[in-house]
Amino acid sequence: MGEFRPHDRNDLFRFLDWLPPSRAVETPIGPAVYRSERLAARLGLDELYVGLNGYAPERGARNPTGSFKDFEALPTLLDFRERGLKAIILASAGNTARAFAHAATVLDFPAYLVVPEGMLDRLWLPIHPSDAVRLIVIDESRDYAAAIELAARLSVQFGIPPEGGARNVARREGMGTAVLEHARVVGRLPRHYVQAVGSGTGAIAAWEAALRLRQSGQVPGELPVLHLAQNAPFAPIHDAWTRGTPIRPHEDVPGQLARIDRITADVLANRNPPFAVGGGVGDALRATDGTTHAVTNEEIAVARRLFEETEGIPIGTAAGAAVAALGQALAGGRMSRDESVLLHITGNDDALLRRDYALHPIQPWLRLRTDDLAPERIARLADRFA
Ligand SMILES: *Cc1c(COP(=O)(O)O)cnc(C)c1O
């Protein structure tokens, strides 16, 4: 590790030395960073860089499922394969499942993806999904937490290696390439880093990548201040950071599910983010003198219009939350206009992919109900997982 010496190639394996897999594959996946003019002028920022990590080939972003989850999926499956593992299982609210379905298809590596039925309409790929993709749908559910629980039980019952969430090094280091690309393009660290968070893994990844860049001694700049955005009225990371409210993942927390139902940036609806654990989101915020922002649906809608109007690229709701948070941070005096900012646009969904590709829906491989979580019922699925 040590030295920061990006390879001469046009994808995330430019940073192969700092990623877990030892060998790269051909891929369009990778981070893109460019300097904003129009949004920067509108906000009055001297130096605003946009990390555009969805799909917008006009900006150099060619991620096939339209979000930075592509940075995570491909290195993870390559790493699993190198370690001799035969399959992976994970839960997703949508974007992660798309990214893993794509990587599973490209690498022909079996991936069991557990998703709530409510997310089914966003499960598509710009290529034909292969048999390696095993989509497990929980009927009549919109709840990501139920998917997490079912994935955990199936993993134990049938011995399928779990993806690992924030503990997955390939995931964190894949996501951290957004900051590495900024360092490569700009030659130093940004003073501020702005991202919408659900689990907060992307933010932990940004912090860790910045630490490594500083340790390399080759990239100047202080540790970037993290500005993390969530969507009110469901903002557990914001509430934990600003008010000390403990993370309470269970369904019986009064009003929690109803609040989740009200947010438009639903990829951020993670009820159990790694906040208090060592090396988690809380530590990342403390170490970087960071801050959190809760933005409303209305603020997100306004921010998405502003971004599309100024930068010419449509963005998703989560990325809209980041743009809104940038506005809040400026208005609240949390950054000054002459400090450099990396605004992480984590995704733009299918907006431009639909223009360039036919999108293929991913068909369910198995449909379950929440009561199938009972141990005796799970055992009955043995045939399917044999
Ligand atoms: C997953 C996701 C996020 C949040 O990332 P975390 O690492 O879970 O905090 C933000 N934006 C988009 C588009 C995502 O898919």
Side-chain angles (χ1 to χ4, degrees), residues 39-347:
L39 179 61
R42 197 70 91 75
L43 296 172
L45 277 166
D46 290 349
E47 221 186 322
L48 172 64
Y49 294 91
V50 175
L52 195 80
N53 295 323
Y55 177 84
E58 45 277 71
R59 291 295 193 182
R62 298 174 298 135
N63 299 295
T65 71
S67 89
F68 82 142
K69 297 298 195 307
D70 283 323
F71 298 179
E72 162 194 359
L74 189 64
T76 297
L77 294 195
L78 285 170
D79 179 52
F80 267 50
R81 200 164 71 176
E82 285 182 6
R83 290 195 281 135
L85 302 174
K86 300 291 182 226
I88 191 170
I89 187 164
L90 57 110
S92 165
N95 288 358
T96 307
R98 269 202 321 272
F100 275 89
H102 190 273
T105 296
V106 168
L107 299 177
D108 195 25
F109 188 93
Y112 296 87
L113 310 170
V114 185
V115 302
E117 186 181 33
M119 309 298 175
L120 206 48
D121 59 347
R122 60 177 80 148
L123 294 185
W124 41 260
L125 291 183
I127 55 177
H128 274 287
S130 81
D131 290 348
V133 180
R134 302 186 183 158
L135 180 65
I136 300 167
V137 177
I138 310 181
D139 281 334
E140 285 162 43
S141 170
R142 287 180 46 78
D143 188 16
Y144 178 39
I148 292 175
E149 200 175 323
L150 182 58
R153 296 209 184 166
L154 292 172
S155 168
V156 170
Q157 183 81 31
F158 301 114
I160 310 168
E163 178 266 347
R167 286 181 307 275
N168 174 356
V169 176
R171 172 179 188 164
R172 296 205 309 277
E173 293 183 350
M175 288 180 157
T177 60
V179 169
L180 303 185
E181 180 66 1
H182 179 282
R184 188 189 71 85
V185 170
V186 183
R188 63 192 145 73
L189 287 163
R191 189 69 202 90
H192 300 274
Y193 173 87
V194 187
Q195 194 206 304
V197 292
S199 70
T201 312
I204 297 168
W207 169 47
E208 289 179 344
L211 279 173
R212 276 176 95 169
L213 287 166
R214 278 170 57 85
Q215 278 158 10
S216 79
Q218 293 165 284
V219 180
E222 289 171 66
L223 267 190
V225 177
L226 299 183
H227 298 265
L228 309 185
Q230 295 210 287
N231 188 179
F234 183 68
I237 290 176
H238 174 71
D239 296 343
W241 180 245
T242 55
R243 285 188 259 141
T245 314
I247 303 287
R248 288 172 303 172
H250 301 294
E251 336 208 326
D252 49 10
V253 175
Q256 182 152 262
L257 293 181
R259 284 186 288 113
I260 287 178
D261 264 340
R262 281 166 56 201
I263 65 174
T264 52
D266 52 11
V267 297
L268 306 180
N270 189 317
R271 291 201 253 139
N272 198 14
F275 183 83
V277 295
V281 183
D283 280 351
L285 284 164
R286 266 184 293 277
T288 63
D289 196 21
T291 113
T292 60
H293 302 268
V295 300
T296 63
N297 290 337
E298 182 53 32
E299 288 173 297
I300 289 174
V302 170
R304 289 174 77 193
R305 282 197 294 275
L306 171 66
F307 191 90
E308 180 159 5
E309 210 178 286
T310 51
E311 299 298 316
I313 304 289
I315 59 174
T317 46
V323 177
L326 172 57
Q328 274 195 7
L330 278 164
R334 293 301 313 228
M335 58 176 72
S336 61
R337 295 181 194 270
D338 59 354
E339 291 174 324
S340 73
V341 177
L342 173 57
L343 170 62
H344 195 165
I345 299 298
T346 43

